[in-house]
Amino acid sequence: MISVKFDSLFLRLVRAQVVLLVCTLLLVVGLLRVQRNEMLAPQFAELWAPRIKAMVHHPINTVMAEASRQETVIVRHDAAPPGLTLPISAFPAVAIFMEELSGFGVKVDDARLRYTDEHFDMWLLVQVPDAAPVWMSGTVPWALLPVWTYRLTAAMALLSLVICLFSWNFARRVTNPLAQLRNRMQAHASNGIELPPPAQSMQERKAPPELIEIDQAYRQLAERLHRNERERALLMAGVSHDLRSPLSRIRLAAEMLPESPDNAEGVASITRNVDVADRLTASFLEFVRASTVPMNEEVDLAELMQQVLEGFDRATDELMIHSPLTLKLHGGNVLLIERLMFNLVDNAFKHGGSPVQIDLIEQDGWARLVVSDAGPGLPANGADRMVEAFARGDASRGSPGFGLGLAIVQQVVVRLHGELSFGQHLNRHQVTVQLPLRPSSRAGIDMQISHVKASARIRRYFP
């Protein structure tokens, strides 16, 4: 199995092209060798035929050869070749060789190859008129067998190098635009931001037409999503901001009503509902703020966690914390991280159960925040739905809250390039947030782009 680190579309294209071209080259070379052997086989048959005829009537194990032509050594045997042999009658060149011998009056029934004394011998079962067939052997003509030469090795190595360079260049030209498109999609998926397109368009880089169409479709989709998100944020911020004035007037009018036993309950009800509406508008603003404010501050997570817990005013047996004295996170925002911590602890008390325990530790350059409670936890397969805006675990909406707590947490975690997960441990529900203590430079650029694009038109709504 290929490691993921060394596996990509680019490498797969290179490997596929190299394997395909090398196999094609081997096939062509093999066919050329076979054709060459078939051309030389008649010449060797003409050389061997008279000597085989002469050896038919010679005593067994006698030798006929010419001192200057060692390859024409012929030996007659009284038995089949001993040891391991390879039948070669079906080889194209050997079949032609046997057919040519037949034309010279030498009929061969079988041919085998045997390795002895650092060379190959070819054994032939020759028919003898009015007698049993006899075995004869001779040093095999190398032209009848496939032979790998040094020149062929050098040619194959050189050609393979040329093929690899060509395949590398071709695959790189095909996959470079795709890799850049993947990076833009990954940035968009993780941060909700579309990176600026490269200086050269795909048409200028001669990308494949299908990839150009994918890039254009993605740009249109990203623009539509960005426009929808911007309009949604503007709508939520605008409505929340504009509702504050009438809510304040309603509260003021209720408080200015004459106090009497008859209207005391009504005034209190109006005040309570105004407070609920005011908290809802504040949640809207917090949700929009989570995706727009810049992330360029150094935050002491341990100190900030202590400040958040002091605001809950809970006994030590209801709220416990384990954290270092200090834990610095670079490239964050104090208000957003404070809201993240508050929402997690607040959800634990509202929807879980006491005691609530907070564990804050540093692990391999990451801050790990675990908030656990004694509640039942999320419904099965409900984690993805619960981080959406206005999602509620209680379908009847009988529990307090507006369904924006975890959505704000998710927004902050995504902007910090972290991870949010839910689980169970020792019959306790856990929410785990992992944040990199030092975001990459690329993340900072992404956040700056997001701030320039999204916050310019929304900032005016925040006090």
Side-chain angles (χ1 to χ4, degrees), residues 239-414:
V239 170
S240 302
H241 181 271
D242 294 340
L243 280 176
R244 283 188 164 182
S245 295
L247 287 174
S248 299
R249 290 195 295 268
I250 293 172
R251 178 194 295 274
L252 180 61
E255 292 175 349
M256 292 181 65
L257 289 174
E259 294 185 6
S260 67
D262 295 335
N263 65 7
E265 184 178 350
V267 171
S269 177
I270 292 174
T271 304
R272 285 195 304 271
N273 285 288
V274 169
D275 290 339
V276 172
D278 192 54
R279 290 197 301 271
L280 177 59
T281 57
S283 297
F284 285 169
L285 291 175
E286 290 290 344
F287 181 70
V288 176
R289 187 197 303 270
S291 62
T292 58
V293 297
M295 311 289 277
N296 53 12
E297 300 174 357
E298 182 181 88
V299 183
D300 189 337
L301 300 179
E303 180 182 354
L304 188 60
M305 190 76 246
Q306 292 288 353
Q307 295 175 4
V308 169
L309 297 185
E310 288 175 1
F312 282 90
D313 193 21
R314 295 276 183 161
T316 55
D317 59 339
E318 294 182 341
L319 182 58
M320 298 168 286
I321 180 172
H322 299 90
S323 72
L325 295 178
T326 181
L327 181 57
K328 297 292 183 68
L329 181 143
H330 302 271
N333 182 279
V334 174
L335 293 178
L336 290 189
I337 298 178
E338 180 182 11
R339 174 54 58 180
L340 178 149
M341 293 176 172
F342 177 86
N343 286 359
L344 290 178
V345 178
D346 188 54
N347 277 358
F349 280 114
K350 286 181 179 178
H351 309 291
S354 300
V356 174
Q357 179 172 327
I358 292 92
D359 295 286
L360 179 63
I361 61 173
E362 179 182 0
Q363 187 176 33
D364 299 329
W366 288 67
R368 180 181 174 90
L369 173 63
V370 181
V371 179
S372 61
D373 58 69
L378 297 178
N381 302 323
D384 292 338
R385 188 180 64 85
M386 293 304 297
V387 296
E388 297 176 357
F390 308 108
R392 302 284 294 275
D394 181 9
S396 64
R397 297 186 175 267
S399 57
F402 306 106
L404 289 173
L406 286 180
I408 294 174
V409 170
Q410 173 72 0
Q411 287 254 25
V412 178
V413 169
V414 167

Side-chain angles (χ1 to χ4, degrees), residues 69 120 173 223 234 302 363 430:
R69 300 294 299 274
F120 287 97
R173 292 184 62 182
E223 290 174 1
L234 285 170
Q363 187 176 33
Q430 287 187 342

Side-chain angles (χ1 to χ4, degrees), residues 88-249:
I88 58 174
S89 302
F91 285 21
V94 177
I96 294 176
F97 177 70
M98 293 168 60
E99 184 178 351
E100 293 293 330
L101 286 177
S102 179
F104 288 104
V106 179
K107 295 184 179 181
V108 179
D109 293 335
D110 192 12
R112 298 187 184 183
L113 188 68
R114 181 171 179 265
Y115 182 77
T116 55
D117 299 331
E118 298 184 356
H119 68 275
F120 287 97
D121 287 338
M122 183 166 63
W123 289 59
L124 303 176
L125 183 60
V126 181
Q127 293 184 3
V128 179
D130 303 328
V134 296
W135 283 97
M136 297 187 185
S137 68
T139 303
V140 65
W142 286 103
L144 297 181
L145 299 173
V147 179
W148 193 272
T149 63
Y150 291 107
R151 287 186 300 176
L152 184 59
T153 302
M156 284 287 296
L158 180 61
L159 190 56
S160 298
L161 178 61
V162 173
I163 291 172
C164 288
L165 293 176
F166 173 80
S167 300
W168 184 279
N169 181 62
F170 174 78
R172 181 60 70 189
R173 292 184 62 182
V174 171
T175 57
N176 257 345
L178 190 60
Q180 294 177 356
L181 180 60
R182 177 202 60 192
N183 293 336
R184 289 166 54 198
M185 287 183 172
Q186 287 179 338
H188 196 181
S190 60
N191 306 318
I193 307 158
E194 183 190 8
L195 292 179
Q200 282 188 318
S201 65
M202 289 197 175
Q203 290 88 344
E204 293 174 346
R205 287 175 289 160
K206 298 181 180 179
E210 296 83 0
L211 191 56
I212 294 175
E213 294 177 2
I214 293 175
D215 179 69
Q216 293 174 347
Y218 165 69
R219 288 189 184 185
Q220 294 174 2
L221 176 62
E223 290 174 1
R224 188 182 301 116
L225 290 174
H226 181 68
R227 183 171 60 253
N228 292 342
E229 183 65 24
R230 184 175 62 248
E231 292 174 354
R232 183 177 71 113
L234 285 170
L235 177 63
M236 293 180 64
V239 170
S240 302
H241 181 271
D242 294 340
L243 280 176
R244 283 188 164 182
S245 295
L247 287 174
S248 299
R249 290 195 295 268

Side-chain angles (χ1 to χ4, degrees), residues 392-443:
R392 302 284 294 275
D394 181 9
S396 64
R397 297 186 175 267
S399 57
F402 306 106
L404 289 173
L406 286 180
I408 294 174
V409 170
Q410 173 72 0
Q411 287 254 25
V412 178
V413 169
V414 167
R415 293 202 60 195
L416 290 172
H417 298 264
E419 299 176 1
L420 173 65
S421 60
F422 305 88
Q424 292 281 342
H425 181 66
L426 299 177
N427 295 324
R428 292 177 60 84
H429 177 246
Q430 287 187 342
V431 181
T432 303
V433 173
Q434 297 189 92
L435 303 175
L437 295 177
R438 293 185 176 275
S440 63
S441 58
R442 174 182 165 190

